[in-house]
């Protein structure tokens, strides 16, 4: 009886089997349709997705360096196909684009792979990029050192100048692709005083290092590195002052010639810079006689003098020039000698000690003196100008005498000769000293 019942149930199950299978498939399709209508697959687009380079040490360990070309390490557009419920939780930062250096081909192209780790690959139907490759250049890596140079742009405030500029570094190490590093000609620190114009005292600040080629164009590149990137600098701000030049000219020109005393220069006043305390003590700059070599000159001569050589240690030229040449012209004339006839009675004796009488002996009633000097001065001298004087007190001081005993002494007369002239020979006479005074003796 059981066997008959089993056969009956089996018959029921297999009866209209095809129709039942079709019904089952329609049910599944209907279920999928319902599910899809409730949470459809949607296209989601994300712009400018960056690419991460993996395993870069494959290149760098060989002493090489790579550079991404034409911005290909940013994918302009990435499209993700995912159900609405999934895509609503995906942001641009969730999109991962990687390029493995191990995939580098002979054309220096890396393949890009996309993923969304946040939701997992099973929940994303598809993900595509508008581009799927990164182009790179591979070069030898090069390292160089450059001396840092300081470049001042603009001026300090009125009445001030920039003095010394000191840095905590004087070298910069530059690394990068050989073709880029080879372009670097100089490393500069640019100091723009226009942005510091309110400062009237020393400034300490950080300034970036800039690299330039031989034409003055800035050199930049993604592979280029600088060590250090920035440098601490101290800028000295100095006060300024205008002071005149004074020339001390002395010396012996060629035989038969003399200095006229006329000195002129193409610069009369210079602007100097320094600490205020140093400038306050300066009223002029003196160029000493040692600066002028007059030996052998026989005509008006112009000499170039560097004023910087005669500045105090803590003072400099305001324009920071390494030299400040001034053309100094020195007058020279031929000398002439003229004889003048003088009278002994015109000699004046002055400052005679009290209680003493002084007379001169050995001087003829009329005698001759010879005066040598430059022509322009000699032409204006007459015999009456050459007043002879004997200052007894001054002579005693020269001789170291405190008392003047009676007796006779050899003395030299002094004459009122103009500058740039001199006596050919001194005039020596006898000073007779006796006790007592005379009314006509000058005191």
């Amino acid at each position: 009886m059981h066997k008959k019942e089993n056969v009956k149930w089996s018959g029921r199950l297999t009866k209209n089997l095809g129709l039942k299978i079709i019904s089952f498939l329609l049910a599944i399709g209907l279920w999928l349709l319902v599910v899809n209508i409730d949470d459809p697959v949607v296209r989601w687009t994300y712009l400018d997705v960056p690419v991460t380079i993996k395993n870069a040490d494959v290149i760098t360990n060989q002493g090489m360096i790579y550079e991404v070309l034409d911005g290909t390490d940013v994918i302009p557009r990435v499209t993700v196909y995912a159900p609405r419920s999934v895509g609503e939780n995906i942001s641009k930062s969730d999109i991962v684009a990687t390029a493995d250096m191990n995939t580098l081909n002979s054309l220096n192209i890396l393949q890009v792979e996309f993923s969304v780790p946040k939701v997992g690959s099973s929940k994303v139907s598809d993900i595509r990029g508008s581009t799927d490759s990164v182009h790179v250049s591979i070069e030898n890596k090069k390292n160089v050192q450059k001396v840092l140079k300081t470049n001042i742009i603009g001026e300090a405030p009125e009445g001030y100048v920039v003095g010394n500029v000191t840095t905590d570094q004087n070298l910069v190490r530059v690394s990068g692709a050989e073709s880029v590093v080879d372009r670097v000609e100089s490393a500069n620190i640019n100091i723009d005083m226009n942005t510091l114009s309110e400062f009237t005292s020393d400034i300490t600040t950080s300034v970036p290092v800039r690299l330039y080629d031989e034409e003055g164009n800035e050199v930049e590149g993604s592979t280029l590195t600088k060590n250090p990137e920035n440098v601490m600098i101290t800028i000295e701000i100095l006060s300024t002052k205008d002071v005149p030049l004074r020339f001390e000219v002395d010396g012996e020109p060629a035989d038969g010639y003399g200095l006229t005393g006329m000195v002129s220069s193409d610069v009369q006043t210079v602007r100097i810079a320094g600490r205020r305390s140093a400038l306050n003590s300066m009223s002029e700059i003196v160029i000493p006689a040692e600066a002028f070599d007059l030996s052998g000159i026989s005509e008006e001569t112009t000499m170039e003098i560097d004023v910087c050589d005669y500045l105090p240690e803590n003072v400099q030229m305001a324009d920071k020039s390494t030299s400040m040449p001034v053309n100094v012209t020195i007058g020279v004339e031929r000398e002439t000698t003229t004889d003048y006839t003088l009278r002994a009675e015109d000699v004046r004796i002055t400052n005679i000690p009290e209680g003493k009488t002084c007379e001169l002996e050995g001087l003829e009633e009329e005698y001759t003196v010879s005066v040598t000097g430059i022509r322009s001065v000699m032409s204006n001298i007459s015999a009456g100008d050459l007043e002879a004087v004997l200052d007894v007190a001054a002579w005693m001081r020269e001789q170291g005498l405190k008392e003047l005993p009676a007796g006779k002494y050899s003395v030299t007369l002094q004459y009122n000769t103009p500058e740039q002239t001199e006596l050919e020979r001194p005039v020596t006479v006898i000073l007779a000293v006796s006790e007592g005074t005379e009314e006509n003796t000058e005191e």
Side-chain angles (χ1 to χ4, degrees), residues 81-381:
Y81 295 87
R84 184 186 301 277
S85 61
V86 174
E88 286 176 345
N89 295 316
I90 297 175
S91 64
K92 174 181 173 180
S93 61
D94 298 323
I95 308 299
V96 176
T98 59
D100 195 327
M101 195 61 76
N102 288 312
T103 67
L104 183 70
N105 62 24
S106 60
L107 299 177
N108 289 341
I109 296 176
L110 303 175
Q111 193 66 36
V112 178
E113 296 183 354
F114 301 96
S115 62
V116 189
K118 176 181 179 180
V119 299
S121 59
S122 61
K123 293 184 179 181
V124 175
S125 300
D126 194 10
I127 180 168
R128 304 172 188 174
S130 57
T131 61
D132 61 357
S133 61
V134 174
H135 296 249
V136 297
S137 67
I138 308 295
E139 289 188 56
N140 289 325
K141 184 177 182 180
K142 188 172 184 177
N143 303 301
V144 297
Q145 280 191 336
K146 293 291 181 179
V147 176
L148 285 172
K149 300 177 182 178
T150 301
N151 179 35
I152 306 294
I153 302 170
E155 302 290 339
E158 183 68 25
Y160 298 87
V161 296
V162 175
N164 294 323
V165 177
T166 56
T167 64
D168 64 349
Q169 300 281 340
N170 61 356
L171 292 174
V172 60
R173 289 173 290 280
V174 181
S175 299
E178 185 174 23
S179 63
V180 179
V181 173
D182 283 344
R183 291 173 49 207
V184 177
E185 181 68 20
S186 63
N188 284 13
I189 305 167
N190 298 325
I191 303 171
D192 189 352
M193 293 305 301
N194 296 315
T195 63
L196 304 171
S197 57
E198 74 277 12
F199 290 93
T200 57
S201 59
D202 292 357
I203 306 166
T204 298
T205 186
S206 177
V207 180
V209 175
R210 307 282 187 186
L211 304 177
Y212 296 91
D213 63 20
E214 61 182 6
E215 296 179 355
N217 301 312
E218 188 167 1
V219 179
E220 297 178 301
S222 61
T223 67
L224 204 60
T225 61
K226 296 168 286 187
N227 186 17
E229 289 276 352
N230 297 276
V231 173
M232 291 299 297
I233 63 169
T234 298
I235 308 167
E236 185 180 42
I237 303 297
L238 302 176
S239 301
T240 62
K241 183 178 183 179
D242 293 333
V243 294
L245 300 176
R246 180 165 66 85
F247 305 97
E248 295 180 343
V249 178
D250 192 13
E252 296 292 336
D255 290 343
Y257 293 84
L259 301 177
T260 67
M262 298 296 295
V263 180
S264 61
S265 69
D266 58 353
V267 176
Q268 287 77 44
T269 302
V270 296
R271 179 165 294 180
I272 57 176
R275 298 298 185 188
R276 178 58 61 186
S277 57
L279 298 186
N280 287 341
S281 63
M282 292 189 65
S283 59
E284 63 181 3
I285 297 174
V286 178
I287 310 299
E290 293 77 13
F292 304 96
D293 182 8
L294 306 181
S295 58
I297 66 172
S298 58
E299 60 183 358
E300 182 177 271
T301 301
T302 299
M303 299 181 180
E304 187 176 88
I305 302 297
D306 188 352
V307 177
C308 295
D309 293 339
Y310 304 97
L311 294 177
E313 185 177 353
N314 54 351
V315 175
Q316 65 183 49
M317 301 306 300
D319 63 2
K320 295 184 294 185
S321 298
T322 55
S323 63
M324 177 62 188
V326 173
N327 294 312
V328 183
T329 301
I330 300 168
V332 176
E333 288 184 14
R334 182 179 288 278
E335 292 180 332
T336 184
T337 300
T338 303
D339 295 334
Y340 297 92
T341 301
L342 304 179
R343 296 183 304 172
E345 64 182 20
D346 292 331
V347 177
R348 293 190 307 117
I349 303 175
T350 63
N351 297 320
I352 299 173
E354 186 176 355
K356 304 293 181 180
T357 298
C358 294
E359 294 180 347
L360 297 181
E361 298 178 355
L363 192 61
E364 297 180 1
E365 185 176 343
E366 288 187 347
Y367 65 100
T368 300
V369 294
S370 298
V371 180
T372 298
I374 58 175
R375 290 177 174 177
S376 59
V377 175
M378 293 297 296
S379 63
N380 296 318
I381 298 176

